[in-house]
Amino acid sequence: MNTKTKRRLLWLALLAVVVAAFAWVFVPVWTIQPFKAQTPGGLNLSYTLRSWSTVATPVALALAALLVVVLWRGTRWWMKVALVLLLVPPVAATWFSRQNHFEWMFKPLAQSAYVAADKVDFVGDEEMVLAVEVNGDAVAYPVRQLAYHHVVEDTVGGLPVVSTY
Amino acid sequence: MWEAATDGRRLKFHLTGINNQNFIMADEETGTWWQQVSGEAIHGPLKGRRLNGVFHDELTFATWRRERPQGRVLRPSEDNDAWRKFSERWEEQTAKLPVVTQAAAQDKLAPRAVVLGVNLNGAAKAYPLEPVERQSPLVDKVGGVPLLVVLGEDKKSVRAFETTVDGRALEFYVKADAVGGGAWRMFDGETQSEWDFTGRAVAGALAGRQLKKIPLLKDYWFDWKLYNPQTLVYAFNAP
C-alpha cells in the first residue's frame, strides 16, 4: 500500500469515528423527542446507545485524537485546521454523554424540604395536591411542583416513595 | 406514586426521556428505564419488574389540609425560578399540546380529555369528569366490584370507594342541603348512617366503619387508553 492510499484510509477512518461519536449521542435525542411517537425498537436502540455512551464517546475521542496525531505531520495548514475541527464532534459527544438534557429543562429537586400544613402560604386552597399517608405520616405534593420536577423523592412513614406526575 | 425500591434496595429516580408522551425515569443504581404511568421497567437490568403502587389521593389543598391538619407539604424549590414560570400556566399549556398516539375512530373523548381511571381485577374503566360532576356519587361496578365515584364539597376533589359493607352493597346519596351549609356528608340508604369524604361513617348505625378506598388515576384519555387498551368508558345516560 502506498503512502497516499494509506493516508486516504486514515482520513476515512477519522471521518467514520467522528460520525459514529456524533450519531451515538444524537440518535437517542432524535428518537426520544417529546412530540414524536416512539416505537419499542427505537427506544431499545436509544437505551443501548445511552447506556454505553459514557464509555463509547471517550473511546471515539481517543481514537480520533490518535488519527489526528498520525495525520498531522506532512499536512498543509488548512488540512490541520480541518483536523482540529474534526475533533469538535467527539469532544462535544463526550461532554453530552455526561449530561441529562431532560433535566436541563426540568431541574430536579436536589433536596426535598417540607413545611407543616398550617404554616403553608405557597399553595392556594383550590390548587390540587397529590396526597399520601403511610403510618400516620401525611404528605401533600402540590401538582404544580410535581408537573415541573416530574420526580420527587421522599420517605413517608418509613416507606421510600417516589412521587411522580 | 410508587414505592422507590425493589427487592429491599432503595432506588433514586431521574427524568430521563419520554415514551409517547408519558415520561421515562431512570434509576441511579442500575440505570433501568421505568415507565412513569405503569411503574414497569421497560429497558435495562430490571426489565419486567414493576414498582409497587402507593395509594394516593388527588385533592384540593383546602380539602387535604382540613383532613390532615398535622400533615407536611412539599416546599417549592428556592434555587430556581424555572418551575414557577413553568407551573403558572402548565395546565392550560399542556392542554394545547399535540398528541402523537393514534386515537381510535370510535373514540368520543378528545385525546386530552381528563378521565379518572379505575383498574380492578383486571378490568379497566375510565370516568370522564363531566358525568362525575353531574351526578355524584356515581354508582357503578368494575371487575365485579360495586363502587361509587364521588365529588367532594370543593367540586374538584374526587374519590372512589367500594360500597360493600358486611357483605352487602349499600346505596349512597349526597344530601342536597349538606352541600353549602354544614359539613359535607354522604348517607347510605340502608342505615341512614352519615359518611364523610374520607369514606368513614361518622354517625348512625355504621359509625366508625371505613369504606375501602379504590385508587383513581387522573389521566389524559389518550394515555389511559394506551396503557389500558380494553378500557370501558362510563357513559352517562341522559334522558
Side-chain angles (χ1 to χ4, degrees):
Chain A
M1 206 186 297
N2 66 38
T3 323
K4 210 170 178 184
T5 319
K6 214 164 145 192
R7 285 188 72 83
R8 212 167 265 168
L9 282 175
L10 286 171
W11 269 97
L12 271 178
L14 175 59
L15 285 174
V17 168
V18 167
V19 169
F22 177 75
W24 204 287
V25 294
F26 184 73
V27 167
V29 172
W30 179 256
T31 309
I32 307 182
Q33 288 177 72
F35 299 110
K36 226 181 114 191
Q38 281 79 33
T39 60
L43 279 181
N44 194 26
L45 175 66
S46 299
Y47 174 81
T48 308
L49 291 175
R50 288 247 306 256
S51 46
W52 289 98
S53 65
T54 52
V55 178
T57 52
V59 167
L61 175 59
L63 213 59
L66 186 73
L67 288 164
V68 166
V69 169
V70 172
L71 287 165
W72 191 264
R73 260 198 252 169
T75 309
R76 281 176 235 248
W77 71 268
W78 53 272
M79 287 306 255
K80 284 183 173 150
V81 172
L83 283 173
V84 171
L85 287 178
L86 280 173
L87 284 177
V88 172
V91 167
T94 303
W95 167 76
F96 190 80
S97 72
R98 280 153 178 78
Q99 297 287 316
N100 179 345
H101 66 289
F102 291 95
E103 290 188 341
W104 291 352
M105 173 149 185
F106 300 108
K107 295 187 182 64
L109 261 184
Q111 189 86 51
S112 57
Y114 298 85
V115 175
D118 57 348
K119 304 263 193 306
V120 167
D121 58 1
F122 49 81
V123 188
D125 278 354
E126 295 297 298
E127 265 186 55
M128 300 306 283
V129 298
L130 285 199
V132 64
E133 182 170 10
V134 181
N135 298 326
D137 185 9
V139 192
Y141 307 92
V143 167
R144 272 178 66 192
Q145 292 179 57
L146 289 182
Y148 173 79
H149 294 297
H150 288 69
V151 172
V152 172
E153 301 272 331
D154 197 0
T155 302
V156 184
L159 187 74
V161 161
V162 57
S163 189
T164 64
Y165 202 87
Chain B
M1 190 89 62
W2 305 105
E3 194 179 329
T6 49
D7 309 311
R9 178 188 196 185
R10 180 153 197 160
L11 301 173
K12 182 163 170 54
F13 295 98
H14 288 269
L15 170 67
T16 201
I18 195 152
N19 176 13
N20 292 304
Q21 303 187 305
N22 182 262
F23 79 84
I24 303 168
M25 48 193 193
D27 68 71
E28 271 182 14
E29 289 70 17
T30 72
T32 300
W33 283 9
W34 304 82
Q35 194 66 54
Q36 181 262 340
V37 72
S38 63
E40 192 184 345
I42 54 171
H43 292 290
L46 299 178
K47 185 175 174 174
R49 302 283 182 92
R50 248 174 214 279
L51 298 173
N52 292 326
V54 176
F55 182 88
H56 69 274
D57 279 316
E58 194 163 344
L59 307 170
T60 61
F61 180 59
T63 293
W64 176 79
R65 187 174 44 191
R66 194 166 52 241
E67 292 179 3
R68 293 289 175 263
Q70 308 299 322
R72 57 187 170 101
V73 184
L74 180 68
R75 195 174 71 190
S77 158
E78 283 164 350
D79 58 356
N80 96 71
D81 262 343
W83 86 269
R84 214 175 285 278
K85 258 178 228 154
F86 171 86
S87 69
E88 254 147 36
R89 285 159 50 80
W90 79 268
E91 221 161 354
E92 308 156 45
Q93 302 284 18
T94 310
K96 282 186 233 155
L97 296 176
V99 171
V100 298
T101 52
Q102 284 290 307
Q106 71 272 18
D107 277 7
K108 288 194 184 99
L109 288 168
R112 284 199 185 271
V114 174
V115 298
L116 299 153
V118 171
N119 222 315
L120 281 173
N121 303 329
K125 197 154 191 178
Y127 296 85
L129 280 181
E130 202 224 336
V132 180
E133 285 165 353
R134 272 214 272 176
Q135 186 197 44
S136 171
L138 188 154
V139 181
D140 201 13
K141 210 176 231 192
V142 177
V145 179
L147 56 83
L148 63 84
V149 180
V150 64
L151 190 67
E153 190 179 4
D154 58 25
K155 304 278 183 206
K156 283 177 89 176
S157 306
V158 182
R159 279 189 169 125
F161 301 100
E162 289 189 16
T163 54
T164 306
V165 176
D166 299 330
R168 59 179 175 161
L170 303 179
E171 280 184 25
F172 286 87
Y173 58 94
V174 175
K175 214 171 172 183
D177 59 11
V179 182
W184 184 98
R185 293 286 183 258
M186 279 193 299
F187 293 82
D188 70 78
E190 283 74 5
T191 71
Q192 307 301 320
S193 299
E194 288 184 37
W195 303 77
D196 69 12
F197 188 55
T198 68
R200 204 170 66 91
V202 290
L206 294 174
R209 305 298 295 270
Q210 171 71 48
L211 296 178
K212 193 171 173 203
K213 292 178 179 177
I214 295 172
L216 275 182
L217 181 72
K218 201 171 174 187
D219 199 0
Y220 291 116
W221 165 242
F222 79 85
D223 197 48
W224 177 260
K225 178 81 187 289
L226 192 61
Y227 289 90
N228 299 278
Q230 303 300 320
T231 189
L232 301 172
V233 180
Y234 182 86
F236 182 78
N237 295 315

